[in-house]
Amino acid sequence: MSFVIEPPQTPSLPVVGTEDRFPIRRIFCVGRNYAAHAREMGNDPDREPPFFFMKPADAVAHDGDVIPFPPETNDLHHEGELVVALGKGGVDIDPSDALAHVWGYAAGIDLTRRDVQAVAKSMSRPWDLSKGFDNSAVIGPIHPANDVGGMNAGTLRLTVNGEERQNGDLADMIWPTPDVIAFLSRSVELAPGDLIMTGTPAGVSQLVPGDRVVVEIAGLSDLTVEIGA
Ligand code: MN
C-alpha cells in the first residue's frame, strides 16, 4: 500500500527538559470557563454545562514564533489559557479519575478572529473559521504532570508589549480540568495526544502587527510570540 499524495507529518510540541516531542491528535477548546470573561462577552456566568469547539492539530504555533497576521480579520484577540495534554484516552471518565489521563500541561493562546466570531454568533453559524485558522493554537513546551502536579490553582497572566492585559487564577475556572475531561469524554472517545485548551480569564483584547505577547502560568515555562505583518 502507498499513499497517493505525501501523508502529512504529525504536529507536535516540545517537552521541557528533553529532546522528545508530544504528538498532537486533536485540539479541543472550552468556551467561557471563567465567570468574569463570560460576563465581558455578554453572557450569564451561571454554572451551565461547559461547551466545546475545536482547532485543527496543524493550527498549532510555537513559543518563539513570529505569527503572520491572519487574513480576514480586523479584530484579532488573544485568550491566554492553560493547555492540558492527554497521555491516556477513554470514554465516560469519572472526574475523580480524570487527572490520571493527563500527561502534561502548557501555556497557550487561543487566537480568535473576534469580528468573524461576532458574525457567526449573530447568524447562528459555526465558529470554525473564527477559532480554527492557521497558527490559531499557540502552545508552549509541555511540562510533565509528574513534575508540576494537577495545576488546579496559580496565576495566569498575559502581557502585550509588557503591559498586563489578563490576570486570572486557574482556581477560578468554572469547570476545573477534571470536570472538563469528564464532560468531553461523554461526547467523544478521548485519545492519547488530545489537547484541551481550558478557557480564558477576563481581559481579552485586540492584537496588532508588531505586538509581543507573553503568557505566564505559575509553574510552567513562559510562552512568547510576536504578531507579524
Ligand atoms: Mn478560548
mmCIF file of all heavy atoms in Angstrom, residues 11-14 21-22 24 26-29 55-57 59-65 67 79 81-85 104-111 135-143 193-198 215 220-225:
data_model
loop_
_atom_site.group_PDB
_atom_site.id
_atom_site.type_symbol
_atom_site.label_atom_id
_atom_site.label_comp_id
_atom_site.label_asym_id
_atom_site.label_seq_id
_atom_site.Cartn_x
_atom_site.Cartn_y
_atom_site.Cartn_z
ATOM 1 N N PRO A 11 1.704 16.851 13.769
ATOM 2 C CA PRO A 11 2.082 18.048 14.525
ATOM 3 C C PRO A 11 2.493 17.641 15.945
ATOM 4 O O PRO A 11 1.981 16.656 16.486
ATOM 5 C CB PRO A 11 0.804 18.888 14.550
ATOM 6 C CG PRO A 11 -0.082 18.297 13.508
ATOM 7 C CD PRO A 11 0.291 16.861 13.393
ATOM 8 N N SER A 12 3.404 18.408 16.538
ATOM 9 C CA SER A 12 3.896 18.019 17.862
ATOM 10 C C SER A 12 4.370 19.237 18.640
ATOM 11 O O SER A 12 4.524 20.329 18.084
ATOM 12 C CB SER A 12 5.032 17.007 17.725
ATOM 13 O OG SER A 12 6.154 17.609 17.092
ATOM 14 N N LEU A 13 4.596 19.012 19.925
ATOM 15 C CA LEU A 13 5.087 20.055 20.830
ATOM 16 C C LEU A 13 6.350 19.568 21.530
ATOM 17 O O LEU A 13 6.469 18.375 21.825
ATOM 18 C CB LEU A 13 4.026 20.363 21.899
ATOM 19 C CG LEU A 13 2.773 21.076 21.402
ATOM 20 C CD1 LEU A 13 1.664 20.968 22.429
ATOM 21 C CD2 LEU A 13 3.089 22.541 21.090
ATOM 22 N N PRO A 14 7.267 20.482 21.837
ATOM 23 C CA PRO A 14 8.443 20.082 22.611
ATOM 24 C C PRO A 14 8.055 19.738 24.045
ATOM 25 O O PRO A 14 7.071 20.260 24.566
ATOM 26 C CB PRO A 14 9.354 21.311 22.565
ATOM 27 C CG PRO A 14 8.445 22.451 22.276
ATOM 28 C CD PRO A 14 7.282 21.914 21.500
ATOM 29 N N ARG A 21 9.274 14.790 21.728
ATOM 30 C CA ARG A 21 8.140 15.626 21.323
ATOM 31 C C ARG A 21 6.836 14.959 21.750
ATOM 32 O O ARG A 21 6.743 13.736 21.822
ATOM 33 C CB ARG A 21 8.113 15.803 19.796
ATOM 34 C CG ARG A 21 9.415 16.201 19.145
ATOM 35 C CD ARG A 21 9.667 17.665 19.090
ATOM 36 N NE ARG A 21 8.617 18.465 18.471
ATOM 37 C CZ ARG A 21 8.690 19.813 18.399
ATOM 38 N NH1 ARG A 21 9.739 20.462 18.900
ATOM 39 N NH2 ARG A 21 7.720 20.512 17.842
ATOM 40 N N PHE A 22 5.816 15.763 21.994
ATOM 41 C CA PHE A 22 4.472 15.264 22.296
ATOM 42 C C PHE A 22 3.643 15.357 21.016
ATOM 43 O O PHE A 22 3.419 16.459 20.496
ATOM 44 C CB PHE A 22 3.841 16.097 23.418
ATOM 45 C CG PHE A 22 2.493 15.596 23.839
ATOM 46 C CD1 PHE A 22 2.358 14.685 24.871
ATOM 47 C CD2 PHE A 22 1.343 16.032 23.183
ATOM 48 C CE1 PHE A 22 1.109 14.200 25.251
ATOM 49 C CE2 PHE A 22 0.085 15.548 23.551
ATOM 50 C CZ PHE A 22 -0.016 14.641 24.593
ATOM 51 N N ILE A 24 0.475 15.641 18.603
ATOM 52 C CA ILE A 24 -0.867 16.225 18.780
ATOM 53 C C ILE A 24 -1.878 15.460 17.932
ATOM 54 O O ILE A 24 -1.701 15.296 16.717
ATOM 55 C CB ILE A 24 -0.889 17.703 18.362
ATOM 56 C CG1 ILE A 24 0.162 18.503 19.142
ATOM 57 C CG2 ILE A 24 -2.287 18.289 18.580
ATOM 58 C CD1 ILE A 24 0.335 19.929 18.630
ATOM 59 N N ARG A 26 -5.794 15.844 18.518
ATOM 60 C CA ARG A 26 -6.861 16.827 18.287
ATOM 61 C C ARG A 26 -6.691 17.955 19.300
ATOM 62 O O ARG A 26 -6.072 17.765 20.342
ATOM 63 C CB ARG A 26 -8.247 16.178 18.472
ATOM 64 C CG ARG A 26 -8.548 15.111 17.456
ATOM 65 C CD ARG A 26 -9.825 14.362 17.788
ATOM 66 N NE ARG A 26 -9.661 13.537 18.985
ATOM 67 C CZ ARG A 26 -10.558 12.641 19.424
ATOM 68 N NH1 ARG A 26 -11.695 12.475 18.769
ATOM 69 N NH2 ARG A 26 -10.330 11.933 20.512
ATOM 70 N N ILE A 27 -7.284 19.107 19.003
ATOM 71 C CA ILE A 27 -7.258 20.221 19.953
ATOM 72 C C ILE A 27 -8.700 20.611 20.267
ATOM 73 O O ILE A 27 -9.407 21.160 19.417
ATOM 74 C CB ILE A 27 -6.483 21.438 19.408
ATOM 75 C CG1 ILE A 27 -5.068 21.029 18.977
ATOM 76 C CG2 ILE A 27 -6.438 22.548 20.460
ATOM 77 C CD1 ILE A 27 -4.270 22.155 18.315
ATOM 78 N N PHE A 28 -9.128 20.279 21.484
ATOM 79 C CA PHE A 28 -10.439 20.695 21.981
ATOM 80 C C PHE A 28 -10.271 21.986 22.784
ATOM 81 O O PHE A 28 -9.241 22.192 23.423
ATOM 82 C CB PHE A 28 -11.043 19.615 22.888
ATOM 83 C CG PHE A 28 -11.324 18.322 22.180
ATOM 84 C CD1 PHE A 28 -10.421 17.271 22.225
ATOM 85 C CD2 PHE A 28 -12.499 18.156 21.459
ATOM 86 C CE1 PHE A 28 -10.680 16.072 21.573
ATOM 87 C CE2 PHE A 28 -12.771 16.962 20.799
ATOM 88 C CZ PHE A 28 -11.853 15.913 20.856
ATOM 89 N N CYS A 29 -11.287 22.831 22.757
ATOM 90 C CA CYS A 29 -11.246 24.098 23.491
ATOM 91 C C CYS A 29 -12.546 24.271 24.247
ATOM 92 O O CYS A 29 -13.618 23.925 23.752
ATOM 93 C CB CYS A 29 -11.090 25.274 22.535
ATOM 94 S SG CYS A 29 -9.697 25.140 21.389
ATOM 95 N N LYS A 55 -9.916 23.212 17.249
ATOM 96 C CA LYS A 55 -8.963 23.762 16.295
ATOM 97 C C LYS A 55 -8.262 22.571 15.640
ATOM 98 O O LYS A 55 -8.048 21.552 16.300
ATOM 99 C CB LYS A 55 -7.929 24.635 17.014
ATOM 100 C CG LYS A 55 -8.486 25.923 17.646
ATOM 101 C CD LYS A 55 -7.434 26.635 18.457
ATOM 102 C CE LYS A 55 -7.969 27.830 19.204
ATOM 103 N NZ LYS A 55 -7.892 29.106 18.456
ATOM 104 N N PRO A 56 -7.869 22.689 14.368
ATOM 105 C CA PRO A 56 -7.110 21.594 13.741
ATOM 106 C C PRO A 56 -5.771 21.409 14.448
ATOM 107 O O PRO A 56 -5.176 22.387 14.922
ATOM 108 C CB PRO A 56 -6.888 22.083 12.301
ATOM 109 C CG PRO A 56 -7.852 23.195 12.097
ATOM 110 C CD PRO A 56 -8.097 23.805 13.437
ATOM 111 N N ALA A 57 -5.277 20.167 14.498
ATOM 112 C CA ALA A 57 -3.979 19.910 15.143
ATOM 113 C C ALA A 57 -2.868 20.717 14.486
ATOM 114 O O ALA A 57 -1.936 21.162 15.155
ATOM 115 C CB ALA A 57 -3.658 18.418 15.089
ATOM 116 N N ALA A 59 -3.037 23.629 13.317
ATOM 117 C CA ALA A 59 -3.141 25.065 13.575
ATOM 118 C C ALA A 59 -2.190 25.489 14.692
ATOM 119 O O ALA A 59 -2.194 26.644 15.111
ATOM 120 C CB ALA A 59 -4.573 25.452 13.943
ATOM 121 N N VAL A 60 -1.377 24.557 15.177
ATOM 122 C CA VAL A 60 -0.501 24.870 16.310
ATOM 123 C C VAL A 60 0.625 25.813 15.888
ATOM 124 O O VAL A 60 1.173 25.711 14.780
ATOM 125 C CB VAL A 60 0.056 23.571 16.949
ATOM 126 C CG1 VAL A 60 1.105 22.917 16.067
ATOM 127 C CG2 VAL A 60 0.608 23.852 18.337
ATOM 128 N N ALA A 61 0.927 26.782 16.767
ATOM 129 C CA ALA A 61 2.105 27.647 16.635
ATOM 130 C C ALA A 61 2.882 27.541 17.936
ATOM 131 O O ALA A 61 2.318 27.155 18.973
ATOM 132 C CB ALA A 61 1.696 29.087 16.358
ATOM 133 N N HIS A 62 4.177 27.869 17.877
ATOM 134 C CA HIS A 62 5.079 27.521 18.978
ATOM 135 C C HIS A 62 5.705 28.741 19.648
ATOM 136 O O HIS A 62 5.770 29.823 19.058
ATOM 137 C CB HIS A 62 6.176 26.598 18.448
ATOM 138 C CG HIS A 62 5.649 25.339 17.848
ATOM 139 N ND1 HIS A 62 5.339 24.231 18.604
ATOM 140 C CD2 HIS A 62 5.324 25.016 16.579
ATOM 141 C CE1 HIS A 62 4.875 23.282 17.811
ATOM 142 N NE2 HIS A 62 4.851 23.730 16.573
ATOM 143 N N ASP A 63 6.214 28.502 20.850
ATOM 144 C CA ASP A 63 6.979 29.512 21.577
ATOM 145 C C ASP A 63 8.089 30.045 20.681
ATOM 146 O O ASP A 63 8.805 29.267 20.048
ATOM 147 C CB ASP A 63 7.569 28.869 22.836
ATOM 148 C CG ASP A 63 8.367 29.862 23.660
ATOM 149 O OD1 ASP A 63 7.842 30.956 23.936
ATOM 150 O OD2 ASP A 63 9.519 29.549 24.009
ATOM 151 N N GLY A 64 8.216 31.362 20.618
ATOM 152 C CA GLY A 64 9.272 31.986 19.826
ATOM 153 C C GLY A 64 8.877 32.289 18.390
ATOM 154 O O GLY A 64 9.621 32.961 17.673
ATOM 155 N N ASP A 65 7.699 31.819 17.963
ATOM 156 C CA ASP A 65 7.272 32.062 16.581
ATOM 157 C C ASP A 65 6.915 33.526 16.343
ATOM 158 O O ASP A 65 6.438 34.222 17.247
ATOM 159 C CB ASP A 65 6.028 31.212 16.235
ATOM 160 C CG ASP A 65 6.365 29.762 15.930
ATOM 161 O OD1 ASP A 65 7.551 29.407 15.930
ATOM 162 O OD2 ASP A 65 5.406 28.986 15.697
ATOM 163 N N ILE A 67 4.118 35.093 14.269
ATOM 164 C CA ILE A 67 2.885 34.604 13.642
ATOM 165 C C ILE A 67 2.394 35.636 12.634
ATOM 166 O O ILE A 67 2.086 36.768 13.013
ATOM 167 C CB ILE A 67 1.814 34.347 14.723
ATOM 168 C CG1 ILE A 67 2.298 33.229 15.663
ATOM 169 C CG2 ILE A 67 0.471 34.018 14.087
ATOM 170 C CD1 ILE A 67 1.414 33.034 16.875
ATOM 171 N N GLU A 79 -6.423 35.081 23.839
ATOM 172 C CA GLU A 79 -7.044 34.456 25.018
ATOM 173 C C GLU A 79 -5.977 33.559 25.647
ATOM 174 O O GLU A 79 -5.686 32.473 25.142
ATOM 175 C CB GLU A 79 -8.277 33.623 24.624
ATOM 176 C CG GLU A 79 -9.389 34.434 23.962
ATOM 177 C CD GLU A 79 -10.680 33.641 23.752
ATOM 178 O OE1 GLU A 79 -10.682 32.405 23.980
ATOM 179 O OE2 GLU A 79 -11.692 34.270 23.357
ATOM 180 N N GLU A 81 -4.493 30.828 28.021
ATOM 181 C CA GLU A 81 -5.167 29.653 28.572
ATOM 182 C C GLU A 81 -4.181 28.589 29.054
ATOM 183 O O GLU A 81 -3.087 28.453 28.500
ATOM 184 C CB GLU A 81 -6.083 29.013 27.502
ATOM 185 C CG GLU A 81 -6.949 30.050 26.783
ATOM 186 C CD GLU A 81 -8.186 29.491 26.116
ATOM 187 O OE1 GLU A 81 -8.361 28.258 26.110
ATOM 188 O OE2 GLU A 81 -8.966 30.315 25.621
ATOM 189 N N LEU A 82 -4.603 27.806 30.037
ATOM 190 C CA LEU A 82 -3.901 26.580 30.409
ATOM 191 C C LEU A 82 -4.263 25.483 29.404
ATOM 192 O O LEU A 82 -5.438 25.290 29.083
ATOM 193 C CB LEU A 82 -4.330 26.124 31.811
ATOM 194 C CG LEU A 82 -3.752 24.773 32.261
ATOM 195 C CD1 LEU A 82 -2.257 24.881 32.542
ATOM 196 C CD2 LEU A 82 -4.491 24.251 33.494
ATOM 197 N N VAL A 83 -3.234 24.786 28.900
ATOM 198 C CA VAL A 83 -3.462 23.686 27.959
ATOM 199 C C VAL A 83 -3.148 22.368 28.662
ATOM 200 O O VAL A 83 -2.101 22.216 29.295
ATOM 201 C CB VAL A 83 -2.582 23.833 26.705
ATOM 202 C CG1 VAL A 83 -2.864 22.706 25.713
ATOM 203 C CG2 VAL A 83 -2.799 25.198 26.061
ATOM 204 N N VAL A 84 -4.078 21.417 28.550
ATOM 205 C CA VAL A 84 -3.932 20.093 29.153
ATOM 206 C C VAL A 84 -3.644 19.086 28.044
ATOM 207 O O VAL A 84 -4.343 19.072 27.020
ATOM 208 C CB VAL A 84 -5.237 19.702 29.890
ATOM 209 C CG1 VAL A 84 -5.151 18.290 30.447
ATOM 210 C CG2 VAL A 84 -5.541 20.712 30.990
ATOM 211 N N ALA A 85 -2.609 18.267 28.209
ATOM 212 C CA ALA A 85 -2.218 17.272 27.205
ATOM 213 C C ALA A 85 -2.509 15.874 27.751
ATOM 214 O O ALA A 85 -2.010 15.494 28.814
ATOM 215 C CB ALA A 85 -0.724 17.415 26.894
ATOM 216 N N GLY A 104 0.559 16.062 30.647
ATOM 217 C CA GLY A 104 1.278 17.278 30.991
ATOM 218 C C GLY A 104 0.463 18.533 30.729
ATOM 219 O O GLY A 104 -0.721 18.462 30.355
ATOM 220 N N TYR A 105 1.129 19.673 30.940
ATOM 221 C CA TYR A 105 0.462 20.980 30.849
ATOM 222 C C TYR A 105 1.363 21.966 30.127
ATOM 223 O O TYR A 105 2.595 21.866 30.177
ATOM 224 C CB TYR A 105 0.179 21.524 32.248
ATOM 225 C CG TYR A 105 -0.743 20.670 33.068
ATOM 226 C CD1 TYR A 105 -0.233 19.678 33.906
ATOM 227 C CD2 TYR A 105 -2.124 20.838 33.012
ATOM 228 C CE1 TYR A 105 -1.069 18.882 34.670
ATOM 229 C CE2 TYR A 105 -2.973 20.047 33.777
ATOM 230 C CZ TYR A 105 -2.438 19.064 34.608
ATOM 231 O OH TYR A 105 -3.277 18.276 35.361
ATOM 232 N N ALA A 106 0.736 22.962 29.500
ATOM 233 C CA ALA A 106 1.497 24.030 28.834
ATOM 234 C C ALA A 106 0.686 25.321 28.892
ATOM 235 O O ALA A 106 -0.526 25.305 29.111
ATOM 236 C CB ALA A 106 1.771 23.650 27.378
ATOM 237 N N ALA A 107 1.371 26.431 28.672
ATOM 238 C CA ALA A 107 0.698 27.717 28.483
ATOM 239 C C ALA A 107 0.264 27.828 27.030
ATOM 240 O O ALA A 107 0.951 27.312 26.131
ATOM 241 C CB ALA A 107 1.638 28.858 28.844
ATOM 242 N N GLY A 108 -0.878 28.479 26.792
ATOM 243 C CA GLY A 108 -1.362 28.610 25.424
ATOM 244 C C GLY A 108 -2.074 29.925 25.178
ATOM 245 O O GLY A 108 -2.411 30.655 26.115
ATOM 246 N N ILE A 109 -2.257 30.224 23.891
ATOM 247 C CA ILE A 109 -3.088 31.368 23.476
ATOM 248 C C ILE A 109 -4.075 30.869 22.427
ATOM 249 O O ILE A 109 -3.671 30.330 21.388
ATOM 250 C CB ILE A 109 -2.254 32.517 22.855
ATOM 251 C CG1 ILE A 109 -1.090 32.910 23.749
ATOM 252 C CG2 ILE A 109 -3.153 33.729 22.578
ATOM 253 C CD1 ILE A 109 -0.064 33.813 23.044
ATOM 254 N N ASP A 110 -5.367 31.030 22.734
ATOM 255 C CA ASP A 110 -6.437 30.764 21.774
ATOM 256 C C ASP A 110 -6.617 32.043 20.973
ATOM 257 O O ASP A 110 -7.312 32.959 21.419
ATOM 258 C CB ASP A 110 -7.694 30.358 22.566
ATOM 259 C CG ASP A 110 -8.976 30.400 21.742
ATOM 260 O OD1 ASP A 110 -8.903 30.573 20.514
ATOM 261 O OD2 ASP A 110 -10.046 30.258 22.368
ATOM 262 N N LEU A 111 -5.947 32.132 19.803
ATOM 263 C CA LEU A 111 -6.117 33.320 18.956
ATOM 264 C C LEU A 111 -7.487 33.257 18.288
ATOM 265 O O LEU A 111 -7.908 32.197 17.804
ATOM 266 C CB LEU A 111 -5.010 33.400 17.901
ATOM 267 C CG LEU A 111 -3.620 33.829 18.382
ATOM 268 C CD1 LEU A 111 -2.645 33.811 17.212
ATOM 269 C CD2 LEU A 111 -3.655 35.199 19.054
ATOM 270 N N ASN A 135 -2.241 28.798 12.652
ATOM 271 C CA ASN A 135 -1.484 29.381 13.779
ATOM 272 C C ASN A 135 -2.370 29.869 14.927
ATOM 273 O O ASN A 135 -1.925 30.654 15.758
ATOM 274 C CB ASN A 135 -0.592 30.546 13.315
ATOM 275 C CG ASN A 135 0.411 30.118 12.278
ATOM 276 O OD1 ASN A 135 1.186 29.193 12.509
ATOM 277 N ND2 ASN A 135 0.386 30.750 11.114
ATOM 278 N N SER A 136 -3.633 29.434 14.962
ATOM 279 C CA SER A 136 -4.555 29.954 15.984
ATOM 280 C C SER A 136 -4.384 29.274 17.338
ATOM 281 O O SER A 136 -4.896 29.768 18.342
ATOM 282 C CB SER A 136 -6.005 29.785 15.518
ATOM 283 O OG SER A 136 -6.301 28.414 15.295
ATOM 284 N N ALA A 137 -3.686 28.130 17.377
ATOM 285 C CA ALA A 137 -3.463 27.419 18.647
ATOM 286 C C ALA A 137 -1.988 27.581 19.037
ATOM 287 O O ALA A 137 -1.143 26.780 18.648
ATOM 288 C CB ALA A 137 -3.814 25.944 18.512
ATOM 289 N N VAL A 138 -1.706 28.649 19.768
ATOM 290 C CA VAL A 138 -0.330 28.926 20.182
ATOM 291 C C VAL A 138 -0.084 28.184 21.497
ATOM 292 O O VAL A 138 -0.807 28.415 22.476
ATOM 293 C CB VAL A 138 -0.111 30.436 20.373
ATOM 294 C CG1 VAL A 138 1.369 30.718 20.605
ATOM 295 C CG2 VAL A 138 -0.639 31.221 19.184
ATOM 296 N N ILE A 139 0.893 27.277 21.488
ATOM 297 C CA ILE A 139 1.082 26.418 22.669
ATOM 298 C C ILE A 139 2.568 26.285 22.977
ATOM 299 O O ILE A 139 3.371 26.003 22.091
ATOM 300 C CB ILE A 139 0.439 25.027 22.454
ATOM 301 C CG1 ILE A 139 -1.058 25.195 22.118
ATOM 302 C CG2 ILE A 139 0.600 24.164 23.711
ATOM 303 C CD1 ILE A 139 -1.782 23.900 21.820
ATOM 304 N N GLY A 140 2.916 26.479 24.242
ATOM 305 C CA GLY A 140 4.302 26.408 24.686
ATOM 306 C C GLY A 140 4.738 24.971 24.930
ATOM 307 O O GLY A 140 3.995 24.018 24.697
ATOM 308 N N PRO A 141 5.991 24.814 25.399
ATOM 309 C CA PRO A 141 6.501 23.473 25.688
ATOM 310 C C PRO A 141 5.713 22.797 26.807
ATOM 311 O O PRO A 141 5.210 23.466 27.721
ATOM 312 C CB PRO A 141 7.950 23.714 26.105
ATOM 313 C CG PRO A 141 8.088 25.170 26.343
ATOM 314 C CD PRO A 141 6.979 25.868 25.639
ATOM 315 N N ILE A 142 5.604 21.478 26.728
ATOM 316 C CA ILE A 142 4.805 20.727 27.704
ATOM 317 C C ILE A 142 5.655 20.322 28.903
ATOM 318 O O ILE A 142 6.774 19.826 28.754
ATOM 319 C CB ILE A 142 4.194 19.475 27.032
ATOM 320 C CG1 ILE A 142 3.237 19.934 25.936
ATOM 321 C CG2 ILE A 142 3.474 18.607 28.051
ATOM 322 C CD1 ILE A 142 2.311 18.872 25.449
ATOM 323 N N HIS A 143 5.090 20.558 30.075
ATOM 324 C CA HIS A 143 5.687 20.084 31.332
ATOM 325 C C HIS A 143 4.968 18.824 31.774
ATOM 326 O O HIS A 143 3.734 18.826 31.892
ATOM 327 C CB HIS A 143 5.526 21.136 32.433
ATOM 328 C CG HIS A 143 6.329 22.366 32.234
ATOM 329 N ND1 HIS A 143 7.420 22.688 33.001
ATOM 330 C CD2 HIS A 143 6.193 23.352 31.323
ATOM 331 C CE1 HIS A 143 7.929 23.827 32.574
ATOM 332 N NE2 HIS A 143 7.209 24.260 31.571
ATOM 333 N N GLY A 193 -2.671 12.103 23.054
ATOM 334 C CA GLY A 193 -2.314 13.129 22.069
ATOM 335 C C GLY A 193 -3.340 14.234 21.971
ATOM 336 O O GLY A 193 -3.071 15.269 21.355
ATOM 337 N N ASP A 194 -4.533 14.034 22.533
ATOM 338 C CA ASP A 194 -5.531 15.105 22.538
ATOM 339 C C ASP A 194 -5.092 16.220 23.482
ATOM 340 O O ASP A 194 -4.570 15.958 24.576
ATOM 341 C CB ASP A 194 -6.894 14.573 22.994
ATOM 342 C CG ASP A 194 -7.580 13.714 21.932
ATOM 343 O OD1 ASP A 194 -7.204 13.821 20.741
ATOM 344 O OD2 ASP A 194 -8.485 12.943 22.301
ATOM 345 N N LEU A 195 -5.310 17.465 23.044
ATOM 346 C CA LEU A 195 -5.051 18.638 23.869
ATOM 347 C C LEU A 195 -6.375 19.301 24.204
ATOM 348 O O LEU A 195 -7.317 19.256 23.407
ATOM 349 C CB LEU A 195 -4.178 19.653 23.122
ATOM 350 C CG LEU A 195 -2.812 19.188 22.613
ATOM 351 C CD1 LEU A 195 -2.116 20.343 21.883
ATOM 352 C CD2 LEU A 195 -1.939 18.699 23.764
ATOM 353 N N ILE A 196 -6.435 19.912 25.376
ATOM 354 C CA ILE A 196 -7.618 20.693 25.750
ATOM 355 C C ILE A 196 -7.162 22.081 26.181
ATOM 356 O O ILE A 196 -6.365 22.217 27.120
ATOM 357 C CB ILE A 196 -8.407 20.031 26.898
ATOM 358 C CG1 ILE A 196 -8.765 18.586 26.548
ATOM 359 C CG2 ILE A 196 -9.672 20.845 27.193
ATOM 360 C CD1 ILE A 196 -9.363 17.801 27.726
ATOM 361 N N MET A 197 -7.648 23.101 25.477
ATOM 362 C CA MET A 197 -7.431 24.488 25.893
ATOM 363 C C MET A 197 -8.589 24.842 26.813
ATOM 364 O O MET A 197 -9.755 24.746 26.418
ATOM 365 C CB MET A 197 -7.364 25.412 24.677
ATOM 366 C CG MET A 197 -6.278 24.973 23.686
ATOM 367 S SD MET A 197 -5.972 26.123 22.306
ATOM 368 C CE MET A 197 -4.959 27.365 23.132
ATOM 369 N N THR A 198 -8.279 25.214 28.059
ATOM 370 C CA THR A 198 -9.281 25.166 29.140
ATOM 371 C C THR A 198 -10.037 26.470 29.362
ATOM 372 O O THR A 198 -10.769 26.575 30.344
ATOM 373 C CB THR A 198 -8.627 24.720 30.447
ATOM 374 O OG1 THR A 198 -7.539 25.600 30.750
ATOM 375 C CG2 THR A 198 -8.117 23.286 30.359
ATOM 376 N N VAL A 215 2.562 34.802 27.740
ATOM 377 C CA VAL A 215 1.666 34.159 28.712
ATOM 378 C C VAL A 215 2.531 33.541 29.801
ATOM 379 O O VAL A 215 3.459 32.782 29.500
ATOM 380 C CB VAL A 215 0.799 33.059 28.074
ATOM 381 C CG1 VAL A 215 -0.133 32.437 29.117
ATOM 382 C CG2 VAL A 215 0.006 33.610 26.916
ATOM 383 N N LEU A 220 4.870 26.867 35.021
ATOM 384 C CA LEU A 220 5.145 26.457 33.641
ATOM 385 C C LEU A 220 6.094 27.446 32.970
ATOM 386 O O LEU A 220 6.235 28.584 33.424
ATOM 387 C CB LEU A 220 3.838 26.402 32.825
ATOM 388 C CG LEU A 220 2.727 25.494 33.351
ATOM 389 C CD1 LEU A 220 1.524 25.568 32.411
ATOM 390 C CD2 LEU A 220 3.214 24.058 33.487
ATOM 391 N N SER A 221 6.696 27.019 31.860
ATOM 392 C CA SER A 221 7.518 27.929 31.060
ATOM 393 C C SER A 221 6.660 29.041 30.476
ATOM 394 O O SER A 221 5.514 28.805 30.079
ATOM 395 C CB SER A 221 8.150 27.180 29.888
ATOM 396 O OG SER A 221 8.931 26.113 30.329
ATOM 397 N N ASP A 222 7.224 30.245 30.387
ATOM 398 C CA ASP A 222 6.530 31.339 29.701
ATOM 399 C C ASP A 222 6.401 31.009 28.210
ATOM 400 O O ASP A 222 7.220 30.286 27.652
ATOM 401 C CB ASP A 222 7.316 32.647 29.816
ATOM 402 C CG ASP A 222 7.326 33.177 31.251
ATOM 403 O OD1 ASP A 222 6.623 32.597 32.105
ATOM 404 O OD2 ASP A 222 8.038 34.164 31.489
ATOM 405 N N LEU A 223 5.358 31.541 27.612
ATOM 406 C CA LEU A 223 5.113 31.407 26.175
ATOM 407 C C LEU A 223 5.187 32.787 25.562
ATOM 408 O O LEU A 223 4.452 33.694 25.991
ATOM 409 C CB LEU A 223 3.730 30.784 25.956
ATOM 410 C CG LEU A 223 3.161 30.802 24.546
ATOM 411 C CD1 LEU A 223 4.022 30.007 23.582
ATOM 412 C CD2 LEU A 223 1.730 30.273 24.542
ATOM 413 N N THR A 224 6.061 32.974 24.569
ATOM 414 C CA THR A 224 6.240 34.291 23.952
ATOM 415 C C THR A 224 6.117 34.173 22.442
ATOM 416 O O THR A 224 6.784 33.329 21.827
ATOM 417 C CB THR A 224 7.638 34.861 24.283
ATOM 418 O OG1 THR A 224 7.795 34.913 25.690
ATOM 419 C CG2 THR A 224 7.803 36.261 23.706
ATOM 420 N N VAL A 225 5.271 34.987 21.845
ATOM 421 C CA VAL A 225 5.189 35.064 20.382
ATOM 422 C C VAL A 225 5.069 36.526 19.964
ATOM 423 O O VAL A 225 4.702 37.390 20.756
ATOM 424 C CB VAL A 225 3.987 34.277 19.788
ATOM 425 C CG1 VAL A 225 4.193 32.791 19.901
ATOM 426 C CG2 VAL A 225 2.680 34.706 20.410
#
